[in-house]
Amino acid sequence: MIAETENTDTNVIADTNTSDKKTTNAEGKPANDKIKISKEEVAALETECFPGRIIVAQTPADVKKGIEYLSMFDMVGIDTESKPSFKKGKSNKISLLQIATDECCILFRINLTGITDEIKNFFENRSIIKIGVSLKDDFLMLHKAATFSPYGFVEIQELVEKFNIGEKSLQKIYAILFDKKISKSQRLSNWDAEILSDAQKRYAATDAWASLKIYRALCNKDITECYRRRAELTKE
């Protein structure tokens, strides 16, 4: 996964194959049994959605204003959506780029605007931390549309390893930390639709915001009671 620490001068392609490595948890102790959660446990949880304002940017002027706003923050959550493909081996271009702060999420309809210079400059801005899940996959697709060098990105899947969390999906990581679930009901919807539904907008914003919320909790060592309870169960 692509990741970079806050003040480095070059990109870092981090090795996520930890099968042969000895890992430690956030307290520096050997990580033995990983903290996990089942699909059934997740399904039983209350659903949580992004509570803030959602703005759709679908013209170059919208994109410029959106990036100007986001550039005022030192960290954001990021995610993408693509129109689903039901043919084996075929994938579609990224349709939507969503970038969230704690209070606002901007949905960039790059299927309409393309990846503008403002977006590329934002991706290359070292002073803004950009947090997401499966960033390697996102950049693989984004690089098919534009050339840029990503800086300041943090991969959640790598970060949670330090806390002995053995899940990779955003939904399960969020459930372990906050005892709530993120709905995935809109994942296979049409992201190239002329008008995005309110459900699509809320889904997209929630995914980007969730990464930011996870990062803040872990980096501030604000370990939730839910996480502590699951960690204790793992030790038993």
Side-chain angles (χ1 to χ4, degrees):
M1 301 298 172
I2 298 176
E4 186 199 358
T5 53
E6 185 174 0
N7 295 314
T8 55
D9 294 326
T10 58
N11 285 17
V12 176
I13 308 297
D15 179 8
T16 58
N17 181 5
T18 58
S19 58
D20 296 325
K21 298 177 182 178
K22 293 182 178 179
T23 58
T24 58
N25 58 25
E27 298 167 343
K29 298 178 181 179
N32 298 317
D33 296 329
K34 296 289 187 179
I35 302 170
K36 294 193 174 187
I37 187 171
S38 69
K39 291 181 180 180
E40 293 74 18
E41 288 177 293
V42 172
L45 297 175
E46 176 186 353
T47 301
E48 183 159 63
C49 296
F50 176 60
R53 184 183 180 194
I54 301 173
I55 300 172
V56 179
Q58 54 188 15
T59 69
D62 293 340
V63 172
K64 184 176 181 180
K65 290 180 181 179
I67 293 299
E68 286 176 351
Y69 168 77
L70 292 167
S71 296
M72 296 188 296
F73 295 85
D74 59 359
M75 65 178 67
V76 296
I78 187 170
D79 195 24
T80 65
E81 306 295 340
S82 301
K83 181 180 179 180
S85 173
F86 300 102
K87 293 184 179 180
K88 186 177 181 180
K90 183 181 183 298
S91 59
N92 291 315
K93 295 179 180 178
I94 288 177
S95 303
L96 190 74
L97 166 68
Q98 55 264 42
I99 305 178
T101 68
D102 293 310
E103 299 178 349
C104 180
C105 183
I106 301 181
L107 311 182
F108 296 93
R109 300 205 68 184
I110 60 176
N111 61 316
L112 302 178
T113 67
I115 300 177
T116 66
D117 288 341
E118 289 85 3
I119 292 175
K120 287 190 285 186
N121 290 338
F122 186 82
F123 285 161
E124 295 178 344
N125 189 333
R126 288 178 167 88
S127 65
I128 302 173
I129 301 174
K130 297 164 278 283
I131 307 111
V133 172
S134 297
L135 291 171
K136 181 179 179 180
D137 296 334
D138 288 337
F139 285 122
L140 181 65
M141 298 303 295
L142 288 167
H143 277 139
K144 292 181 179 180
T147 300
F148 60 90
S149 299
Y151 288 97
F153 285 84
V154 175
E155 174 56 66
I156 288 292
Q157 290 178 340
E158 295 175 6
L159 179 63
V160 298
E161 289 182 359
K162 299 178 181 179
F163 293 83
N164 207 27
I165 295 174
E167 300 291 358
K168 295 295 185 182
S169 77
L170 179 65
Q171 186 184 51
K172 287 190 172 183
I173 294 169
Y174 195 90
I176 287 172
L177 290 173
F178 303 110
D179 211 22
K180 292 184 179 180
K181 70 180 176 183
I182 298 169
S183 173
K184 308 305 288 185
S185 62
Q186 296 297 314
R187 184 172 65 89
L188 297 179
S189 60
N190 182 10
W191 295 100
D192 281 346
E194 183 177 356
I195 299 175
L196 296 178
S197 68
D198 289 343
Q200 283 180 303
K201 294 175 188 177
R202 189 65 60 185
Y203 167 91
T206 299
D207 273 8
W209 167 73
S211 288
L212 177 61
K213 187 175 178 181
I214 290 168
Y215 181 81
R216 287 192 188 282
L218 295 182
C219 286
N220 293 334
K221 299 296 177 68
D222 183 20
I223 303 304
T224 62
E225 180 61 32
C226 177
Y227 169 87
R228 293 186 187 279
R229 185 171 68 250
R230 292 192 179 277
E232 288 301 319
L233 289 174
T234 301
K235 294 177 184 178
E236 294 178 358

